Amino acid sequence: MAKIASEKITVELMINLYCRRKHGNRSSLCPKCAELKEYALERLDKCPFGDEKPACKECKIHCYDAEKRNQIKDLMRFSGPRMLLYFPYEYVRHKLQ
Ligand SMILES: [Zn+2]
């Protein structure tokens, strides 16, 4: 699978997990998480590296604005370790990138 496409899946899983656990939403995301998801997916769509993209934390561009970057950092810290329990394959692939 193409890298951008697989990162989209990973970020979606992480946001879903975060919202479910942190904000108690079962079937849909709260407005804030929904907005963050839209934003993250859009950033991936616009990533100038396309499928050559490095892991976001190693990327020099830092295309997220400051507020969204803090949100996504918090989310990664929360969901990252839990991804191992719920989605081991996605998590490992994310780590390897
Ligand atoms: Zn939420």
Side-chain angles (χ1 to χ4, degrees):
M1 195 193 289
K3 204 162 181 182
I4 292 288
S6 76
E7 291 223 359
K8 280 184 180 177
I9 292 170
T10 306
V11 84
E12 266 197 89
L13 289 173
M14 288 178 100
I15 292 173
N16 288 345
L17 183 65
Y18 180 81
C19 196
R20 198 162 63 212
R21 291 283 153 144
K22 275 273 248 216
H23 306 148
N25 293 299
R26 290 250 149 233
S27 51
S28 60
L29 296 173
C30 70
K32 214 175 166 187
C33 291
E35 193 199 321
L36 183 62
K37 186 176 95 173
E38 286 306 306
Y39 186 84
L41 295 182
E42 196 195 322
R43 296 286 84 190
L44 281 170
D45 271 336
K46 292 189 174 154
C47 179
F49 299 108
D51 285 334
E52 302 297 310
K53 88 179 271 306
C56 286
K57 68 170 187 285
E58 282 148 30
C59 183
K60 289 183 186 67
I61 291 184
H62 293 307
C63 62
Y64 279 53
D65 70 35
E67 193 199 333
K68 290 283 191 299
R69 193 151 77 225
N70 282 335
Q71 281 181 33
I72 205 94
K73 262 191 189 161
D74 196 46
L75 185 148
M76 295 285 168
R77 249 199 319 268
F78 183 86
S79 291
R82 287 166 180 80
M83 289 293 281
L84 192 59
L85 291 172
Y86 296 101
F87 313 104
Y89 176 68
E90 295 298 332
Y91 176 76
V92 168
R93 198 168 52 186
H94 187 79
K95 279 286 174 199
L96 289 176
Q97 273 172 9

